[in-house]
Amino acid sequence: YSSYGLGVIGLAAPGGDGHDCVLSTVPGGGYAPLCGTSMAAPHVSGVAALIASAHPGYGPRQLREALYRTARPMPCPADYDLTGDGHQDAYCTGYTAYNGFYGHGMVDARAALTAGAGG
């Protein structure tokens, strides 16, 4: 929910909505589910690091292509009314494999490591 639009979003990552938050450390010790770009960005960076460790010869282009190729496609939502007032808050354009809300899809660590070779 930080930005959207075709050509703006490359990948989606867990941490974007209340149903897909990331278990994170919290002040005072312990863990709690948290959402937002502060949770999503490190997730993608971590998956890129895993791919880089499995394929040390990969440069930035190959890492990006492996992330995109192995992302789990996500269709545009039928309704995007975050406020619950009956009006669309944003509109998603594109198709399941590439759209303005999720880019190439949800980053997938397992798929990136098992099928990420060959980029």
Side-chain angles (χ1 to χ4, degrees), residues 55-78:
H55 304 282
Y58 276 19
R61 182 181 57 78
Q62 290 96 347
L63 289 173
R64 181 179 58 247
E65 288 172 359
L67 287 167
Y68 288 173
R69 187 176 58 255
T70 59
R72 181 172 26 97
M74 296 183 67
C76 286

Side-chain angles (χ1 to χ4, degrees), residues 6-81:
L6 281 176
V8 175
I9 304 299
L11 289 169
D17 67 33
H19 304 291
D20 199 17
C21 294
V22 175
L23 188 62
S24 304
T25 57
V26 294
Y31 301 90
L34 298 173
C35 290
T37 54
S38 293
M39 306 301 115
H43 190 92
V44 174
S45 299
V47 174
L50 290 170
I51 296 169
S53 70
H55 304 282
Y58 276 19
R61 182 181 57 78
Q62 290 96 347
L63 289 173
R64 181 179 58 247
E65 288 172 359
L67 287 167
Y68 288 173
R69 187 176 58 255
T70 59
R72 181 172 26 97
M74 296 183 67
C76 286
D79 181 40
Y80 196 72
D81 177 12

